[in-house]
């Protein structure tokens, strides 16, 4: 049985060089800014995990290499009179967490852990944050059980001159679910090791190598050197690609180059190549601070914007070029951006440099890092990483990656090094974000033009969009309510020519129920006996329409505020409103099956 160790006694930003940062007050969740329980729980989990990991790492790193005379930075030997011979003799007993020998080691390990410090961080970063209160159990710490030592392993290093104790520490994570019921999950385990050397000088040398490694990785130059080039906005897939170990992986190559220069006593340290990079797929930072959208609507069909959109959809290449150029411009009148409400001098910066999109850029990215991504920001407390937007303006995302299983050779024997975090910046393969944003607009337009039947001459003067009917829906009875997300996937599969326009940037889609008072992602879909298509979300929607949105950064990866992220539409189809869902055979729709 595992031994439980009890707990012992947003403002407008004006960017300049250097960049000044405006503090972000904690915003209380209101009805106008409703939270998503799953997103809020994920945020709480990530914040708790970050505090758990960083506190324990800080506690254990000075004990990574110790002799019986002590460890790094003057810490005392943690195991009393238990030396290398004792650990080797009792290896199997220590693995059994209920044995007396294991309990002794667990007590020694518990003396290293500063749980009071962790609770101070929980109180400061979590309990004082009003946004977390709806999901905290009785308003108390989510780690109310303390921590558990999950595993202890003893491994000798080919002899009796050193031995490594591998330790795994876990904790229960408590929260209230959407039904206000208490739920518990497990944090990701924290893993570390303590290597005991017989020779005091060996411990000193090993700690020097460890510190050279940590300091080199975190030098100003190296901490800011990790990049991945990609024109795709799917941050989870990009995070996965950072982890892939192959010769063309820029991050792996950068890390290998860095450790290849590390020396000890003027000799290069020998590292193996079996290290692992694991990138956090949930806690990322994107470079969008505010949405922009086509402001004109199909109800206003005589406006220059809507005339150009409809002409371009019907194949007028001159109007298509005019439309794409206008919508992708930093000064677009038809798809104006509101970035200036967050970055107060973005127009001045744009005019000065002329090489970035106001929608995606490093100025926006830094604002989100400093003001919207507190867990990510807090993870950088001991890092020399710093964005310099005035020097490089075209980064579009940030990732934090853990490098683990790093091993080196000393006196013919192999030793582990502690896990360390790096920050990876995403830069477009395109020349800059202006070029990339224009491609986003171009590909999104071409997708919707093909998806809605214009390229195949299926749309008449009524402009009712005509979609390919998926084979799997041919036998489905009209009026049957279907899952909107699943149907959207089927609709894309049924139109491979349209789907091809999504691939270069890996664009994401969403269909929203829209009203004059707001919009939300749809969850239901059906069609009537005439083939008219209906998407909706509300229980009894009235006087609504629905729109197809293209996202560069997928909506489901952007949290509860994704509606403030940028997207592409052809303008609101409020010229055809669904008055009432009670009898859809008599209802109008702007979409139908061909």
């Amino acid at each position: 049985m595992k031994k439980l160790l009890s707990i012992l006694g947003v403002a407008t930003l004006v960017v300049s060089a250097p960049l000044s940062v405006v503090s972000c007050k904690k915003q209380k969740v209101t009805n106008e800014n409703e939270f998503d329980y799953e997103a809020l729980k994920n945020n709480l989990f990530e914040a708790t995990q970050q505090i758990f990991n960083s506190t324990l790492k800080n506690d254990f790193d000075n004990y990574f290499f110790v002799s019986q005379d002590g460890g790094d930075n003057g810490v005392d030997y943690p195991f009393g009179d238990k030396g290398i011979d004792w650990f080797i003799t009792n290896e199997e007993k220590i693995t059994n967490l209920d044995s007396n020998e294991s309990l002794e080691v667990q007590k020694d390990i518990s003396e290293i852990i500063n749980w009071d410090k962790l609770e101070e961080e929980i109180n400061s970063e979590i309990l004082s944050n009003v946004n977390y209160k709806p999901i905290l159990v009785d308003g108390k710490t989510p780690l109310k059980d303390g921590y558990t030592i999950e595993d202890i392993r003893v491994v000798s290093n080919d002899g009796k001159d050193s031995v490594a104790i591998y330790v795994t520490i876990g904790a229960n994570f408590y929260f209230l679910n959407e039904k206000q019921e208490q739920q518990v999950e497990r944090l990701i385990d924290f893993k570390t090791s303590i290597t005991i050397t017989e020779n005091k000088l060996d411990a000193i040398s090993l700690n020097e190598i460890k510190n050279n490694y940590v300091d080199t990785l975190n030098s100003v130059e190296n901490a800011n050197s990790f990049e991945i080039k990609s024109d795709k906005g799917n941050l989870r897939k990009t995070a996965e690609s950072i982890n892939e170990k192959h010769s063309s992986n820029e991050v792996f190559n950068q890390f290998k180059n860095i450790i290849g220069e590390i020396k000890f006593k003027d000799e290069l340290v020998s590292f193996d190549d079996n290290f692992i990079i694991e990138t956090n797929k949930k806690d990322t930072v994107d470079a969008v601070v505010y949405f922009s959208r086509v402001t004109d609507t199909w109800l206003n069909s005589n406006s220059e914007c809507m005339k150009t959109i409809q002409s371009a959809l019907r194949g007028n290449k001159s109007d298509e070029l005019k439309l794409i150029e206008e919508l992708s411009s930093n000064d677009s009148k038809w798809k104006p951006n509101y970035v200036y409400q967050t970055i107060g001098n973005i127009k001045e910066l744009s005019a000065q440099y002329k090489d970035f999109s106001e929608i995606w850029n490093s100025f926006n990215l830094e604002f989100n890092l400093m003001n919207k991504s507190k867990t990510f920001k807090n993870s950088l407390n001991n890092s020399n990483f710093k964005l310099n937007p005035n020097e490089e303006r075209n980064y579009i995302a940030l990732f934090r990656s853990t490098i683990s299983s790093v091993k080196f050779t000393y006196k013919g024997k192999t030793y582990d090094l502690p896990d360390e975090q790096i920050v990876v910046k995403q830069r477009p393969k395109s020349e800059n974000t202006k070029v990339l944003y224009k491609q986003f607009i171009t590909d999104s337009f071409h997708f919707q033009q093909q998806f809605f039947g214009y390229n195949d001459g299926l749309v008449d003067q009524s402009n009712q969009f005509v979609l390919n009917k998926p084979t799997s829906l041919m036998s489905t009875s009209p009026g049957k309510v279907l899952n909107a997300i699943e149907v959207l996937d089927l609709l894309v599969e049924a139109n491979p020519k349209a789907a091809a326009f999504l691939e270069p940037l890996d664009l994401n889609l969403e269909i929203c129920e829209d009203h004059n008072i707001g919009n939300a992602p749809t969850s239901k879909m059906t069609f009537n006996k005439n083939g008219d298509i209906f998407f909706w979300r509300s229980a009894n929607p009235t006087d609504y329409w629905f729109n197809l949105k293209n996202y560069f950064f997928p909506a489901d990866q952007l949290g509860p505020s994704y509606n403030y992220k940028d997207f592409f539409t052809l303008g609101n189809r409020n010229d055809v409103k669904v008055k009432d869902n009670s009898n859809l055979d008599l209802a109008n729709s702007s979409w139908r099956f061909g």
Side-chain angles (χ1 to χ4, degrees):
M1 182 175 65
K2 295 173 183 175
K3 175 67 177 176
L4 180 66
L5 298 175
S6 62
I7 304 172
L8 304 174
V10 179
T12 297
L13 176 70
V14 176
V15 181
S16 60
L19 182 69
S20 59
V21 178
V22 178
S23 65
C24 181
K25 294 182 180 178
K26 295 168 182 173
Q27 181 184 9
K28 186 175 182 180
V29 175
T30 65
N31 290 333
E32 289 77 28
N33 184 29
E34 292 184 357
F35 56 80
D36 179 316
Y37 260 95
E38 187 64 24
L40 190 60
K41 189 273 284 187
N42 288 340
N43 289 342
L44 177 62
F45 185 95
E46 286 294 323
T48 306
Q49 183 77 62
Q50 192 272 323
I51 292 171
F52 184 74
N53 289 348
S54 62
T55 303
L56 292 179
K57 177 175 172 55
N58 186 64
D59 291 340
F60 279 95
D61 271 6
N62 287 332
Y63 295 90
F64 214 81
F65 297 112
V66 299
S67 70
Q68 289 195 273
D69 290 310
D72 204 12
N73 294 316
V75 298
D76 294 332
Y77 180 71
F79 298 114
D81 59 359
K82 296 182 285 293
I84 293 174
D85 289 342
W86 185 89
F87 276 98
I88 293 175
T89 301
N90 293 289
E91 177 182 342
E92 290 188 12
K93 292 179 180 178
I94 293 169
T95 302
N96 176 6
L97 297 181
D98 290 324
S99 71
N100 289 332
E101 291 79 4
S102 183
L103 292 175
E104 282 188 50
V105 176
Q106 291 175 56
K107 182 180 178 182
D108 294 332
I109 291 170
S110 72
E111 294 294 327
I112 296 174
I113 298 172
N114 187 348
W115 196 257
D116 287 341
K117 174 65 174 174
L118 185 145
E119 288 290 4
E120 287 176 13
E121 291 292 316
I122 292 285
N123 185 65
S124 172
E125 301 297 331
I126 291 176
L127 301 188
S128 64
N129 189 331
V130 294
N131 286 326
Y132 291 137
K133 289 191 182 298
I135 59 171
L136 291 173
V137 179
D138 298 326
K140 297 180 180 179
T141 174
L143 303 181
K144 64 179 183 178
D145 288 344
Y147 59 89
T148 54
I149 291 182
E150 299 289 304
D151 184 58
I152 304 177
R153 289 185 300 113
V154 177
V155 179
S156 60
N157 199 342
D158 297 329
K160 294 190 175 183
D161 55 350
S162 69
V163 66
I165 296 93
Y166 291 90
V167 182
T168 300
I169 300 171
N172 287 328
F173 169 76
Y174 287 89
F175 64 98
L176 295 175
N177 63 22
E178 195 166 359
K179 297 178 181 178
Q180 290 293 285
E181 299 168 334
Q182 178 176 287
Q183 231 174 285
V184 61
E185 295 180 2
R186 291 291 289 177
L187 289 184
I188 299 170
D189 289 340
F190 173 82
K191 297 182 179 182
T192 190
S193 65
I194 300 173
T195 295
I196 307 170
T197 66
E198 184 177 47
N199 187 310
K200 176 182 178 181
L201 293 178
D202 284 343
I204 293 172
S205 296
L206 291 170
N207 276 313
E208 186 175 337
I209 294 171
K210 179 199 73 172
N211 293 334
N212 285 349
Y213 165 72
V214 173
D215 292 344
T216 300
L217 193 60
N218 192 39
S219 70
V220 172
E221 179 182 358
N222 290 332
N224 293 279
S225 68
F226 293 98
E227 290 186 0
I228 184 168
K229 292 181 180 178
S230 172
D231 281 343
K232 298 185 178 183
N234 190 318
L235 302 185
R236 288 179 190 154
K237 288 185 179 179
T238 302
E240 290 169 358
S241 72
I242 293 171
N243 300 340
E244 295 171 359
K245 196 167 189 177
H246 50 73
S247 59
S248 60
N249 186 319
E250 301 157 275
V251 178
F252 270 88
N253 292 334
Q254 288 163 335
F255 180 72
K256 286 177 66 175
N257 289 338
I258 288 170
I259 61 176
E261 299 296 322
I262 295 176
K263 293 183 177 182
F264 173 66
K265 293 183 177 178
D266 297 325
E267 298 273 335
L268 289 174
V269 179
S270 176
F271 292 88
D272 68 27
D273 291 338
N274 296 319
F275 56 86
I276 296 170
I277 295 181
E278 187 171 1
T279 305
N280 191 315
K281 292 186 285 187
K282 294 181 180 179
D283 191 19
T284 58
V285 186
D286 65 75
V288 188
V289 296
Y290 217 99
F291 72 94
S292 71
R293 62 181 175 85
V294 174
T295 55
D296 239 328
T297 73
W298 287 63
L299 197 61
N300 189 20
S301 59
N302 290 323
S303 70
E304 183 184 3
C305 173
M306 293 314 304
K307 284 181 178 179
T308 305
I309 287 176
Q310 294 182 30
S311 173
L313 284 170
R314 293 188 181 280
N316 185 310
K317 290 300 180 183
S318 175
D319 278 342
E320 178 185 309
L321 292 174
K322 174 183 176 181
L323 177 69
I324 290 170
E325 194 67 37
E326 214 287 332
L327 297 186
S328 60
S329 168
N330 282 336
D331 298 314
S332 176
K333 299 296 189 295
W334 298 347
K335 192 177 187 289
N337 76 69
Y338 302 93
V339 176
Y340 65 88
Q341 295 187 13
T342 304
I343 311 294
N345 60 340
I346 194 66
K347 289 295 182 185
E348 290 86 347
L349 292 164
S350 176
Q352 177 184 352
Y353 293 114
K354 300 182 175 64
D355 65 353
F356 67 87
S357 167
E358 292 175 16
I359 300 294
W360 309 328
N361 58 73
S362 300
F363 301 104
N364 298 358
L365 185 63
E366 182 169 58
F367 179 87
N368 284 342
L369 171 64
M370 302 306 293
N371 297 281
K372 300 292 184 66
S373 304
K374 193 166 188 180
T375 302
F376 199 121
K377 176 187 171 185
N378 287 346
S379 77
L380 304 178
N381 285 342
N382 297 314
S383 172
N384 280 317
F385 174 80
K386 187 180 187 303
L387 276 171
N388 292 298
N390 286 281
E391 294 181 10
E392 176 45 66
R393 296 166 288 281
N394 285 284
Y395 291 121
I396 61 174
L398 296 177
F399 304 85
R400 54 191 184 103
S401 304
T402 299
I403 301 182
S404 61
S405 299
V406 179
K407 300 179 185 295
F408 68 96
T409 301
Y410 172 76
K411 290 187 175 180
K413 295 185 178 181
T414 301
Y415 295 90
D416 296 296
L417 283 168
D419 296 355
E420 295 295 330
Q421 177 180 285
I422 61 171
V423 177
V424 181
K425 299 172 286 190
Q426 183 179 348
R427 178 202 294 269
K429 285 185 176 180
S430 300
E431 179 184 353
N432 55 48
T433 54
K434 287 181 77 171
V435 174
L436 181 60
Y437 190 69
K438 186 173 183 179
Q439 186 181 350
F440 165 65
I441 296 296
T442 302
D443 291 356
S444 297
F445 172 78
H446 286 154
F447 168 79
Q448 296 207 19
Q449 182 185 40
Q450 179 66 47
F451 185 75
F452 288 133
Y454 282 93
N455 284 350
D456 298 322
L458 301 176
V459 181
D460 61 24
Q461 292 305 309
S462 71
N463 281 310
Q464 186 178 30
F465 297 155
V466 181
L467 284 70
N468 294 351
K469 190 172 185 178
T471 303
S472 58
L473 296 185
M474 292 298 183
S475 59
T476 302
S477 301
K480 182 177 181 180
V481 177
L482 306 171
N483 180 287
I485 296 174
E486 293 174 0
V487 171
L488 179 55
D489 288 339
L490 294 175
L491 292 172
V492 174
E493 290 176 10
N495 198 327
K497 289 183 180 179
F501 291 111
L502 301 177
E503 293 177 5
L505 302 184
D506 198 12
L507 299 182
N508 184 249
L509 302 173
E510 186 173 76
I511 299 174
C512 285
E513 174 189 311
D514 218 330
H515 304 260
N516 290 320
I517 58 173
N519 67 84
T522 58
S523 57
K524 302 177 182 66
M525 177 273 180
T526 193
F527 57 93
N528 64 20
K529 63 184 180 181
N530 301 318
D532 295 317
I533 299 169
F534 303 89
F535 284 86
W536 73 97
R537 174 176 178 168
S538 308
N540 296 294
T542 59
D543 202 33
Y544 74 96
W545 60 93
F546 44 93
N547 292 319
L548 176 65
K549 295 181 177 180
N550 286 68
Y551 283 93
F552 179 74
F553 296 109
D556 67 340
Q557 297 179 22
L558 298 173
S561 62
Y562 73 89
N563 268 330
Y564 294 95
K565 300 297 184 179
D566 192 67
F567 56 84
F568 172 89
T569 69
L570 293 170
N572 282 336
R573 284 305 308 260
N574 57 352
D575 57 321
V576 183
K577 295 182 181 180
V578 184
K579 297 296 182 182
D580 189 347
N581 257 35
S582 61
N583 188 351
L584 292 178
D585 282 335
L586 300 178
N588 294 320
S589 172
S590 57
W591 299 19
R592 70 175 176 84
F593 285 128

